[in-house]
Amino acid sequence: MPVDPWPTTAVTLLGDAIHSMTPMRGIGANTALRDAMTLCRNLVEREPLDAIADYERRMREYGFAAVTASLRSARQFVSGNAVGRVAFKSVLRLFEAVPPLKRAAFRDHGLD
Ligand SMILES: Cc1cc2nc3c(=O)[nH]c(=O)nc-3n(C[C@H](O)[C@H](O)[C@H](O)COP(=O)(O)OP(=O)(O)OC[C@H]3O[C@@H](n4cnc5c(N)ncnc54)[C@H](O)[C@@H]3O)c2cc1C
């Protein structure tokens, strides 16, 4: 569940500790790494609390968007609708067989 903003302190969260991900879509580790990169860059460029506040604001947006997408895929994967399940698995197999297509499909889940 998305969480509301909280008062920023010197302690923050990243990865599954804040936006726990289903295995579907294979974006949990990418999103955790994106958190690390965003926070790291911010800490180099800004004052610590400002850096953490900006990181938390951005992370809540893309992190929970990723959770929603991952959850949607998980539901499609276990759907009771056989046609929908077959179609979804076929798309996944197509992505595996055509790497440029896979990269294009998951482009939005990469790094800035
Ligand atoms: C079955 C499965 C398949 C997945 N497949 C993919 C995939 O293909 N691609 C993808 O991108 N994501 C995948 N994910 C999701 C991905 O694994 C997670 O989103 C990602 O590992 C989160 O990284 P993290 O660093 O936040 O947490 P974690 O990888 O869980 O790291 C947390 C670490 O903290 C350690 N720890 C916990 N408590 C303590 C403590 N008290 N003291 C010290 N250390 C502690 C743990 O041992 C662990 O090593 C999958 C998940 C599952 C369950």
Side-chain angles (χ1 to χ4, degrees), residues 14-17 21-23 26-30 32:
L14 52 78
D16 275 12
M21 203 81 60
T22 83
I27 54 176
N30 279 341

Side-chain angles (χ1 to χ4, degrees), residues 30-93:
N30 279 341
T31 308
L33 289 169
R34 181 175 178 174
D35 290 348
M37 185 200 72
T38 305
L39 180 58
C40 187
R41 276 190 185 159
N42 272 9
L43 286 170
V44 169
E45 293 168 1
R46 297 165 178 244
E47 291 301 311
L49 277 187
D50 181 40
I52 295 169
D54 179 74
Y55 153 73
E56 289 173 346
R57 182 184 55 74
R58 291 160 64 185
M59 173 273 292
R60 273 194 308 274
E61 198 169 307
Y62 66 69
F64 288 106
V67 171
T68 301
S70 174
L71 202 52
R72 190 168 53 239
S73 294
R75 289 196 175 118
Q76 284 170 327
F77 197 73
V78 297
S79 160
N81 178 335
V83 176
R85 214 170 43 235
V86 168
F88 180 63
K89 287 182 181 173
S90 301
V91 168
L92 291 183
R93 288 195 184 107

